[in-house]
Amino acid sequence: MAEQTSEQHSEQSAKLSVANTFHPRLGDLALDLAKGGQIGVVVALPSDNAKSYHLRLPGGGGDWRAKPDGTTLRPVSVPVTHVSPQRRDVAYDRQAQRAALPVTVHHEDGGTSESVLVLDMGQVERLHLQFTQLLERRDQGR
């Protein structure tokens, strides 16, 4: 499991505040904390006719309602298949002594998103050694 800094914890806490409540759209998958993490498809939105979100198990089956403010709902993320470096320069932050490598995150559904791999200098040195060894093994195999 990855270590998290207090800076990351406070950032994540801010993301989970009521001000940033998840408001799914019709057809979205949503995880409902009030149902023990049950995942459902949103089949109806709160409106004048319906006072709550209406969810249904994917593929049909059991239905339930979730709070109209969305406070118990969370997005369901698409699993990541792999991450690849982008063809952009790595940035170095002297003050934090960290490198930032732009990467593309590839998802199971074929979608992609951009992110940044942040490495401290010890990690950069370890990767340098590992890649040097990898290139040497490749060259020996030729």
Side-chain angles (χ1 to χ4, degrees):
M1 177 175 259
E3 293 181 34
Q4 294 182 339
T5 65
S6 58
E7 183 179 296
Q8 289 170 314
H9 286 297
S10 63
E11 185 177 310
Q12 287 174 348
S13 299
K15 288 180 184 176
L16 297 179
S17 71
V18 177
N20 295 320
T21 302
F22 174 58
H23 295 287
R25 298 172 296 182
L26 206 55
D28 282 354
L29 286 177
L31 181 142
D32 191 352
L33 298 175
K35 293 285 282 182
Q38 181 69 51
I39 294 174
V41 178
V42 177
V43 294
L45 303 173
S47 66
D48 292 337
N49 299 334
K51 300 294 181 201
S52 59
Y53 284 97
H54 185 174
L55 293 98
R56 181 171 295 141
L57 290 173
D63 292 21
W64 73 93
R65 300 203 177 276
K67 290 183 175 184
D69 60 7
T71 55
T72 66
L73 300 178
R74 297 294 182 270
V76 176
S77 59
V78 178
V80 172
T81 60
H82 64 285
V83 178
S84 58
Q86 295 179 5
R87 293 182 182 217
R88 294 182 13 213
D89 287 339
V90 175
Y92 178 67
D93 180 342
R94 284 187 193 282
Q95 186 174 358
Q97 294 187 1
R98 293 187 179 179
L101 173 66
V103 295
T104 300
V105 180
H106 301 266
H107 300 276
E108 204 170 72
D109 66 356
T112 60
S113 55
E114 291 186 1
S115 191
V116 177
L117 176 61
V118 177
L119 303 162
D120 64 37
M121 294 318 294
Q123 293 168 321
V124 170
E125 290 171 358
R126 187 170 49 253
L127 285 173
H128 173 71
L129 274 172
Q130 290 171 335
F131 283 122
T132 299
Q133 291 170 354
L134 181 66
L135 291 170
E136 287 171 359
R137 276 187 251 141
R138 181 199 64 180
D139 292 343
Q140 289 171 357
R142 288 186 180 186

